[in-house]
Amino acid sequence: AQRVTQPEKLLSVFKGAPVELKCNYSYSGSPELFWYVQYSRQRLQLLLRHISRESIKGFTADLNKGETSFHLKKPFAQEEDSAMYYCALSGPGNTGKLIFGQGTTLQVKP
Amino acid sequence: DAGVTQSPTHLIKTRGQQVTLRCSPKSGHDTVSWYQQALGQGPQFIFQYYEEEERQRGNFPDRFSGHQFPNYSSELNVNALLLGDSALYLCASSLTGAGNYGYTFGSGTRLTVV
């Protein structure tokens, strides 16, 4: 079964501390993995995708096929990073179907 | 560009009624996907429309149906509403061929079934 698991509902850190949002997935084949973010009173928006291997707003995520994980990391959290983060997966190509995790609320305290 | 526009923003319906939600895609996009997001959960894929046809469907009953118009806008219809249909309904538009990273989400319609 295709599934995305985000084990933490809430992650609270202080400004300047490292952040790691966990994501594990279950998928037979070669999935595409994404992180979406929703800031307060804003729409869901794409943060990054594994195939581009990019760093957005200081966040990075590495796909670990052996551990079926796609954890989101940032070395120094900022208050403006406070938001809801969703990990999602899809089959290769434009299948139109994203499978989301339950989301993790990141709270960065001053 | 207003991006993806959804209407109405909020809606209250009675159990057993029918509801229609509307979505206008981002300019230049030709594909519309619908998601249901229950409280405290991630979005769940309902279906996707392209060229006025349902291209792919998630695990939702036939009470959920949709339509896409020639101008690419879309409607989501839910019949015989249940209390469990209360959720935020999200529309996402994309351009076929742009890959999975091309989705733009709307702000959603909050449906409450009483």
Side-chain angles (χ1 to χ4, degrees), chain B residues 4-9 22-24 34 89-92 105-109:
Chain B
V4 176
T5 304
Q6 292 188 243
S7 63
T9 54
R22 295 176 176 81
C23 173
S24 292
W34 287 93
Y89 288 84
L90 296 171
C91 172
F105 281 85
S107 298
T109 294

Side-chain angles (χ1 to χ4, degrees), chain B residues 7-27:
Chain B
S7 63
T9 54
H10 296 84
L11 202 53
I12 299 176
K13 288 287 190 179
T14 303
R15 191 171 45 182
Q17 284 188 315
Q18 178 264 344
V19 69
T20 297
L21 311 181
R22 295 176 176 81
C23 173
S24 292
K26 180 178 178 178
S27 177

Side-chain angles (χ1 to χ4, degrees), chain A residues 9 32 34 36 38 43-46 49 51 86 90-103, chain B residues 2-4 33 35 37 40-43 45 48 55-56 90 94-97 99-101 103 105-107:
Chain A
K9 275 192 174 267
E32 290 190 33
F34 308 84
Y36 278 79
Q38 187 168 29
R43 306 169 183 211
L44 197 60
Q45 57 186 286
L46 178 66
R49 48 197 168 98
I51 56 174
Y86 293 97
S90 179
N94 186 6
T95 65
K97 180 180 179 181
L98 287 170
I99 299 170
F100 286 87
Q102 290 188 312
Chain B
V4 176
S33 303
Y35 289 81
Q37 186 174 18
Q41 304 293 318
F45 177 78
Q48 183 186 71
R55 182 156 71 173
Q56 191 171 0
L90 296 171
S94 58
L95 178 62
T96 289
N100 285 310
Y101 52 86
Y103 298 119
F105 281 85
S107 298

Side-chain angles (χ1 to χ4, degrees), chain A residues 19-33:
Chain A
V19 170
E20 182 177 69
L21 299 169
K22 291 183 166 45
C23 172
N24 289 90
Y25 68 90
S26 172
Y27 187 86
S28 55
S30 298
E32 290 190 33
L33 274 296

Side-chain angles (χ1 to χ4, degrees), chain A:
Chain A
Q2 301 170 0
R3 187 168 52 243
V4 175
T5 303
Q6 295 179 250
E8 304 142 325
K9 275 192 174 267
L10 172 66
L11 183 63
S12 187
V13 301
F14 285 101
K15 177 182 172 183
V19 170
E20 182 177 69
L21 299 169
K22 291 183 166 45
C23 172
N24 289 90
Y25 68 90
S26 172
Y27 187 86
S28 55
S30 298
E32 290 190 33
L33 274 296
F34 308 84
W35 277 97
Y36 278 79
V37 61
Q38 187 168 29
Y39 300 102
S40 179
R41 299 189 190 87
Q42 293 189 29
R43 306 169 183 211
L44 197 60
Q45 57 186 286
L46 178 66
L47 180 62
L48 56 79
R49 48 197 168 98
H50 88 271
I51 56 174
S52 60
R53 301 186 64 82
E54 56 202 345
S55 173
I56 303 293
K57 299 184 179 183
F59 285 98
T60 59
D62 289 319
L63 179 60
N64 186 324
K65 291 185 178 181
E67 296 182 359
T68 59
S69 67
F70 188 55
H71 303 327
L72 184 68
K73 300 178 184 179
K74 185 170 183 176
F76 308 104
Q78 303 298 315
E79 289 182 66
E80 56 265 31
D81 296 329
S82 296
M84 175 69 89
Y85 291 81
Y86 293 97
C87 182
L89 74 79
S90 179
N94 186 6
T95 65
K97 180 180 179 181
L98 287 170
I99 299 170
F100 286 87
Q102 290 188 312
T104 298
T105 299
L106 175 62
Q107 182 183 73
V108 181
K109 296 178 285 190

